[in-house]
Structures are given as C-alpha cells and as structure tokens.
Amino acid sequence: MSVKSPCTRQCSLNNDSVCVGCGRNVLEIKRWRKSNDEERLKVIQESSERLSRLQEMRDDGFLSDT
C-alpha cells in the first residue's frame, strides 16, 4: 500500500508551525518521504484532528483567517 500525501497545495504555516492546508506540522512534513505507511496513516489521523480543532476555534471566534 502507498499512502498518499494529505497535501492540499494550500501551504501556509500558522503561528504553531502547522500547515493550515493539510494540518501537518513542520516535522511531519519533513519526515513524510521517509515514513512508512503505518507512520503516514498516523500522521494523517493526527493532522485531520488538528484541522478539525482549528476549524472549531475559527467557528467559535477564537481564530481569524487574517
């Protein structure tokens, strides 16, 4: 199996060094190419959860897109 990158080509890091497009942090992005499928699946799960939390914070008015 080959796990595809979650990159959405909307690359921009927030103040916590998390990509607002895919939810990965800088270290996860750096390590992606050398990661095995199990590690990649874990990164995808964690980055998805990160994006959900960021969206919830935006929806609640704690974060802005500007």
Side-chain angles (χ1 to χ4, degrees):
M1 172 164 83
S2 182
V3 178
K4 292 178 72 174
S5 171
C7 181
T8 61
R9 305 283 189 253
Q10 298 174 349
C11 307
S12 179
L13 298 178
N14 67 12
N15 291 335
D16 295 320
S17 295
V18 172
C19 177
V20 298
C22 69
R24 293 180 292 170
N25 63 41
V26 173
L27 189 56
E28 292 166 338
I29 294 168
K30 245 176 115 169
R31 291 183 175 169
W32 184 262
R33 291 183 128 199
K34 295 183 180 182
S35 298
N36 62 38
D37 284 348
E38 183 179 336
E39 293 165 331
R40 288 178 174 192
L41 289 171
K42 182 178 178 187
V43 166
I44 288 173
Q45 178 65 38
E46 291 173 354
S47 63
S48 176
E49 291 170 4
R50 253 184 238 121
L51 281 179
S52 292
R53 286 193 303 271
L54 287 172
Q55 187 59 51
E56 287 174 11
M57 292 177 74
R58 274 190 212 98
D59 292 346
D60 291 342
F62 292 108
L63 291 177
S64 69
D65 292 327
T66 58

